[in-house]
Amino acid sequence: MTRSSDIVVVGAGAAGLSLAWRLLDPPPGVRAPEVVLVDAPAGPLRPAERTWCFWEAGAGDYEPLLSASWRRLRVRAPDGGGRAHDLGELRYKMLRSRAFERGLRERLTGLRRIEAVVERITDGPDGAEVVCRGADGAALTLRARWVYDSRPPAPPPSRVSLVQHFRGWFVRCERPAFDPGTVELMDFRTPQPAYGLSFGYVLPLSPHEALVEYTEFGRAPLPRASYNWALRHYAARVLGLGPYRVTGTEQGAIAMTDGRYARRAGRHVFRIGAAGGAVRPSTGYAFAAIQRQCRAVADAVHTGRRPPVPPPAHPARGLAMDAVLLRGLHTGRVDGPAFFSRLFDEVPAGRLLRFLDGTSRPGEEFAIGLRTPVAAMLRTAAELPLLPRRAPLTGSPSPRP
C-alpha cells in the first residue's frame, strides 16, 4: 500500500510530536500541510516514560502539562556548601512524557498517525519515500515532499566523548524531607568515582515526594545493582530521608560528545531533535533546543522557504566551549565537582542557564570563562584541534531529565 502526504514525521517523542503540532498550527490565512506521524508499535521500540526538564521565563506552551516548576536551584559542593539561587524571571520546569503526549493529542487536529516500524527512508528527486511495516506485518510506503526523522542515530565520531548515565527513583517519604521550592541540580556529596564525576539530583514534587537521581559522567553505564546501591546510600546517608518507598524508576545514558550530528540526510530528508544535535553536549539537556528547532522548521514550511532545513540547535561557540570542558574532565585537568560548584557560586544562575540554553551574549560567556580554571582550559583548547575523531563511547543521545 502507498500513501502520499506533504510531510512525514518519524518518531513520536518530544521532537516528533512538537514538530507535528507546530506544523498543524499555522498562522491565520496559511494552509496547514498534510502531516503523517509514524510511531513505533507498543513494545521494545517504544521508549518508556521519561522526564524532561527545561527553563524559561513566564508561562510557556506546555504550562498546563507540567508536573512541577521551581524558582530556585542549588549546586552543593562535596563539603555540603552551596546556597540556593533565585532564578529571577526564569523557572526550572519538569514535564513527564505521558502528560506531554496526552496534552498534545488534543492539539493535533488533522494528524494522520500510523503505528509501524520504519525499515528505510529513500531520498528522491522530488521527495522521499518511507518504507514501513505495521504490527500486523503489512508493508506500507509513505511518500512525501519532506521527511523529518527523529530516531536517535549512533553517536558520530568525536575527539572527546563521555557518557552521562543515571538512574532515578520517584520516592515518597513518611516525613516532610524536601524543600518543594528548590531543585538540587548537582549534589556532589556522593562518593566520587576514579574516573569522571558523580552527583545527586533532586526534583521535589511536594514536601514528601521527589524524583531522586544518581548520575555519573564516565566511560560506560553501571550495572543496575550499582545504581541501586548508590541511590540507597544517597537517600539514607546524604539526604537522610528516613523511611520511604519507591513509586517509580527512570534510567538512561546520554552520549556527551563533540561529534557532529548531521541535520540533513538528503535533499528531502532531515533529522530533528536528538538526531539533529539538539542535546547539549556538556549537560544532556535538549527539550528547549528541540522546541526552537521545531518552531523554525514549522515557520519555514508555513512561509514556503525551501528547503526547510532544521537550524543548528546550539551556537558554534557554545559547542566549542563544551568540547573544551569535556576534554578537561576526560583528562582530569578539570576537577568536576570543584568546577561546577565554583561556577554556580560565582556566576548568577540566570546567566549560566542562558549560556546553557545558547542565548547568552559573548560578553557574558567571556565573564563565565574567567570563572573557570583558565590555564587548564587554555591548554585543553590548544590540543583539541590536534586530536583525531574516533568512534564514540556507548550511550544514546537521549535528552537529560
Side-chain angles (χ1 to χ4, degrees), residues 266-279:
R267 286 172 292 182
H268 304 89
V269 182
F270 313 106
R271 296 192 177 102
I272 56 171
V279 178

Side-chain angles (χ1 to χ4, degrees), residues 7-12 36-42 45-46 113-123 128-135 137-143 147-152 265 269-271:
I7 294 172
V8 170
V9 177
V10 179
V36 175
L37 179 69
V38 183
D39 189 12
L45 293 179
R46 185 175 291 185
R113 188 163 182 164
I114 296 172
E115 290 194 357
V117 175
V118 173
E119 296 183 338
R120 68 179 183 275
I121 299 175
T122 305
D123 195 24
E129 287 189 347
V130 180
V131 179
C132 314
R133 192 164 299 277
L140 174 64
T141 298
L142 302 172
R143 291 177 179 164
V147 173
Y148 292 90
D149 189 358
S150 67
R151 296 172 300 167
V269 182
F270 313 106
R271 296 192 177 102

Side-chain angles (χ1 to χ4, degrees), residues 153-163 219 255-259 261 389-395:
S158 61
R159 296 169 298 182
V160 55
S161 181
L162 300 176
V163 177
R219 290 191 174 95
M256 304 174 70
T257 169
D258 72 339
Y261 288 91
R389 293 188 178 270
R390 303 183 185 277
L393 298 172
T394 302

Side-chain angles (χ1 to χ4, degrees), residues 1-327:
M1 181 184 298
T2 301
R3 296 181 183 177
S4 297
S5 63
D6 296 319
I7 294 172
V8 170
V9 177
V10 179
L17 286 172
S18 297
L19 178 59
W21 167 49
R22 295 186 188 281
L23 288 169
L24 293 171
D25 186 34
V30 175
R31 182 187 73 86
E34 186 178 6
V35 179
V36 175
L37 179 69
V38 183
D39 189 12
L45 293 179
R46 185 175 291 185
E49 186 173 12
R50 292 142 290 160
T51 299
W52 299 310
C53 284
F54 57 102
W55 46 89
E56 64 182 350
D61 292 328
Y62 306 116
E63 207 70 17
L65 312 179
L66 298 178
S67 297
S69 67
W70 303 269
R71 61 178 301 168
R72 296 188 302 274
L73 60 79
R74 176 170 25 229
V75 172
R76 290 189 185 269
D79 64 1
R83 59 187 175 85
H85 299 271
D86 191 285
L87 299 181
E89 65 177 7
L90 296 177
R91 294 295 180 269
Y92 192 87
K93 300 182 177 184
M94 174 184 180
L95 176 60
R96 298 279 281 158
S97 61
R98 286 181 185 166
F100 176 76
E101 292 163 7
R102 286 195 300 267
L104 280 197
R105 193 175 298 131
E106 300 173 1
R107 308 181 189 184
L108 293 170
T109 304
L111 178 70
R112 293 167 55 195
R113 188 163 182 164
I114 296 172
E115 290 194 357
V117 175
V118 173
E119 296 183 338
R120 68 179 183 275
I121 299 175
T122 305
D123 195 24
D126 302 313
E129 287 189 347
V130 180
V131 179
C132 314
R133 192 164 299 277
D136 59 358
L140 174 64
T141 298
L142 302 172
R143 291 177 179 164
R145 179 64 186 275
W146 312 111
V147 173
Y148 292 90
D149 189 358
S150 67
R151 296 172 300 167
S158 61
R159 296 169 298 182
V160 55
S161 181
L162 300 176
V163 177
Q164 180 181 162
H165 50 94
F166 54 90
R167 182 170 173 81
W169 288 346
F170 287 88
V171 300
R172 179 168 182 80
C173 303
E174 291 185 4
R175 68 175 184 84
F178 304 108
D179 174 3
T182 304
V183 170
E184 298 287 342
L185 189 70
M186 302 176 98
D187 185 347
F188 291 109
R189 293 178 293 173
T190 54
Q192 294 301 308
Y195 174 85
L197 59 90
S198 73
F199 57 89
Y201 177 53
V202 181
L203 297 175
L205 304 174
S206 75
H208 292 267
E209 298 172 288
L211 170 58
V212 177
E213 281 193 358
Y214 174 79
T215 299
E216 283 192 14
F217 293 2
R219 290 191 174 95
L222 304 174
R224 180 173 295 183
S226 297
Y227 291 116
N228 289 341
W229 180 90
L231 281 164
R232 285 193 295 269
H233 176 274
Y234 183 58
R237 298 291 184 86
V238 178
L239 297 179
L241 298 185
Y244 65 87
R245 61 187 177 90
V246 177
T247 60
T249 62
E250 286 195 341
Q251 188 164 333
I254 307 164
M256 304 174 70
T257 169
D258 72 339
R260 299 165 180 165
Y261 288 91
R263 290 169 286 114
R264 191 164 191 170
R267 286 172 292 182
H268 304 89
V269 182
F270 313 106
R271 296 192 177 102
I272 56 171
V279 178
R280 185 69 191 255
S282 61
T283 65
Y285 288 99
F287 191 82
I290 286 171
Q291 302 310 307
R292 289 195 297 270
Q293 273 193 334
C294 292
R295 281 193 294 266
V297 168
D299 183 63
V301 171
H302 294 152
T303 57
R305 295 200 300 274
R306 299 290 186 268
V309 184
H314 304 286
R317 63 180 184 272
L319 296 178
M321 295 174 74
D322 286 358
V324 173
L325 171 59
L326 293 178
R327 177 66 179 174

Side-chain angles (χ1 to χ4, degrees), residues 333-335 339 342 369-379:
R333 293 184 196 128
V334 174
D335 180 322
F339 175 88
R342 179 185 176 190
L370 293 178
R371 300 298 188 273
T372 67
V374 175
M377 299 294 266
L378 288 175
R379 178 184 172 190

